[in-house]
Amino acid sequence: MIVDTCIDHVPEALYDDPRLLNGFLSSVPHGYGEIAYVGQTEKGARQMIVEKPKGCQNLNYVEGDYSLEAKLRAMDECGVDVGIIKLPVWQEWLDVKTCKLVNDDLADQCARSNGRLVAVATVPPWDAKENFYELERCIRELGMCGVQLACHYGELYLDDMAFRPMLREISRLDIPVYVRHTPLPVQWQKIYEFTNLRRLLGRVIDQSIAVGRELFCGLFDELPNLRFVHTMLGGCWYANYEAMVPPKSTREESMQRLSTNDRERILRFLHENLYFEATHPHTWGKKQVESAIEICGADHILFGSSFPVFYNWMPDGVAFLKSLDITEAERALVMGGNAARIFRLEG
């Protein structure tokens, strides 16, 4: 089974339903430099555009790209059996009233897909009963397979105690968390001028910071059954974590400049609590993805295409994973087995 864990979804009625459109536009924190508006593509299709700072586009949601027909057609073309759909990025801002509309729309598209699509819930992360009720409704009534959170909200990453009540509720429900990258890291001022830095490296930096803070903050000591799936290969943590958790020196040092006492504990969190989505994997490079699989373990890497950011990312991603020099057992895990296990898609 091939599972694409990252198919973006925007309600098809977004541009025609005033409740949805106003909910999206009014949620954007303009006071922090975020700018959102409805524009048009060169071909005349409506699109939702988010800029930060003004004049620098970070998000573009084009009308028609997110229909059920578009998703199933792309999946059929490249042999994807199941897709996990989710709201891209905007969940950082939406209030619970708009989240309910989005979740109902997600559930409706899943129901019309004849089992091809499943969804993760969109809820505000704050400590409020109505947010907890909406999360439970999504799991118990709408049949969603997990919840998505942004890797940071405003200037707060998920290790902040403001999110601990929601994370406790997620732990109680025993569901996985899909941690979606945000358009820019908290400290974005030195990368925004260049498009590829802003729209790609910004997301990588943000995930790397998020993963690091989660590992060192004690979150997984308190809630050991939490399972986080981070996009963008967790900000390339496969390349960094040996340096981040160095072994103890075999010699007596004049002073201890790095913490070496938590190595086994951090490695345990990486093994038991964190998983990494190879988001549009073909764009990372063959050696890089093979290294991530070797270092993290094939049982910790998932496939996600970010369809329809680029239409060809889904077929190119599937073909790329089939070309990797890994065992067939490893390939089966990365292409679908891990997603089926973590999001409980079996059967």
Side-chain angles (χ1 to χ4, degrees):
M1 181 168 66
I2 299 177
V3 180
D4 186 340
T5 61
C6 186
I7 298 180
D8 290 347
H9 177 78
V10 173
E12 294 178 63
L14 174 63
Y15 299 100
D16 298 310
D17 186 333
R19 300 173 304 164
L20 280 167
L21 189 59
N22 291 336
F24 272 61
L25 290 175
S26 65
S27 70
V28 177
H30 297 276
Y32 288 92
E34 307 280 356
I35 299 168
Y37 58 96
V38 176
Q40 287 190 332
T41 67
E42 293 181 356
K43 296 181 179 180
R46 290 175 290 186
Q47 63 170 329
M48 186 82 78
I49 300 170
V50 177
E51 299 179 349
K52 183 176 182 177
K54 185 177 181 180
C56 294
Q57 295 186 8
N58 292 301
L59 299 170
N60 307 76
Y61 300 150
V62 179
E63 181 182 20
D65 279 355
Y66 303 90
S67 69
L68 175 62
E69 292 73 23
K71 293 183 179 76
L72 294 182
R73 182 168 59 249
M75 292 167 66
D76 289 340
E77 286 178 6
C78 54
V80 170
D81 300 290
V82 177
I84 299 179
I85 59 174
K86 57 188 66 65
L87 185 72
V89 179
W90 219 289
Q91 81 278 6
E92 183 184 356
W93 305 312
L94 293 184
D95 60 22
V96 68
K97 181 179 179 180
T98 309
C99 284
K100 289 179 180 179
L101 297 175
V102 169
N103 289 326
D104 286 340
D105 187 78
L106 284 162
D108 174 70
Q109 191 166 101
C110 290
R112 292 187 288 118
S113 75
N114 294 318
R116 299 289 302 281
L117 299 176
V118 294
V120 291
T122 299
V123 295
W126 312 109
D127 183 11
K129 288 185 177 179
E130 59 181 348
N131 297 338
F132 301 155
Y133 293 154
E134 176 58 12
L135 176 59
E136 188 151 10
R137 182 182 80 96
C138 288
I139 303 303
R140 307 295 191 204
E141 298 180 21
L142 301 184
M144 295 186 177
C145 63
V147 60
Q148 69 168 334
L149 297 176
C151 63
H152 79 256
Y153 292 81
E155 297 185 352
L156 305 179
Y157 285 89
L158 293 179
D159 64 289
D160 194 277
M161 291 303 297
F163 307 115
R164 205 56 59 90
M166 175 58 77
L167 293 176
R168 292 191 188 107
E169 182 67 9
I170 291 169
S171 178
R172 183 186 71 81
L173 292 171
D174 191 26
I175 55 174
V177 181
Y178 183 92
V179 185
R180 183 67 182 257
H181 49 265
T182 52
L184 289 169
V186 171
Q187 302 296 332
W188 52 268
Q189 289 82 358
K190 295 300 181 182
I191 62 172
Y192 77 88
E193 298 103 324
F194 308 102
T195 299
N196 288 8
L197 297 186
R198 185 176 71 252
R199 300 198 69 150
L200 286 174
L201 183 61
R203 289 156 164 81
V204 173
I205 293 171
D206 213 24
Q207 285 287 21
S208 182
I209 293 171
V211 169
R213 294 187 66 88
E214 291 158 13
L215 285 171
F216 287 100
C217 75
L219 171 64
F220 300 124
D221 288 316
E222 179 184 345
L223 301 171
N225 71 320
L226 279 180
R227 291 155 290 148
F228 284 6
V229 177
H230 278 270
T231 62
M232 305 298 286
L233 282 170
C236 296
W237 255 81
Y238 73 93
N240 300 324
Y241 76 74
E242 284 289 346
M244 292 296 102
V245 286
K248 290 184 178 181
S249 175
T250 58
R251 301 188 179 192
E252 184 177 350
E253 304 288 349
S254 59
M255 66 175 295
Q256 192 66 43
R257 292 176 171 84
L258 293 173
S259 174
T260 60
N261 296 325
D262 289 340
R263 178 177 171 82
E264 296 305 318
R265 175 169 157 268
I266 300 302
L267 292 179
R268 174 166 52 84
F269 296 155
L270 282 164
H271 178 70
E272 297 178 358
N273 303 100
L274 291 180
Y275 301 86
F276 303 124
E277 180 188 272
T279 315
H280 37 82
H282 61 289
T283 65
W284 293 84
K286 184 174 184 290
K287 291 183 178 179
Q288 288 83 350
V289 175
E290 288 174 351
S291 295
I293 293 170
E294 178 182 356
I295 294 168
C296 299
D299 59 343
H300 278 65
I301 305 294
L302 295 81
F303 164 56
S305 70
S306 281
F307 177 89
V309 175
F310 286 97
Y311 191 95
N312 65 307
W313 274 1
M314 187 186 293
D316 286 356
V318 170
F320 172 82
L321 293 176
K322 290 181 178 179
S323 75
L324 294 180
D325 293 325
I326 56 178
T327 69
E328 289 307 311
E330 290 172 329
R331 199 181 329 274
L333 289 173
V334 173
M335 295 187 74
N338 295 328
R341 182 184 76 253
I342 294 166
F343 291 97
R344 295 171 181 163
L345 306 180
E346 294 93 344

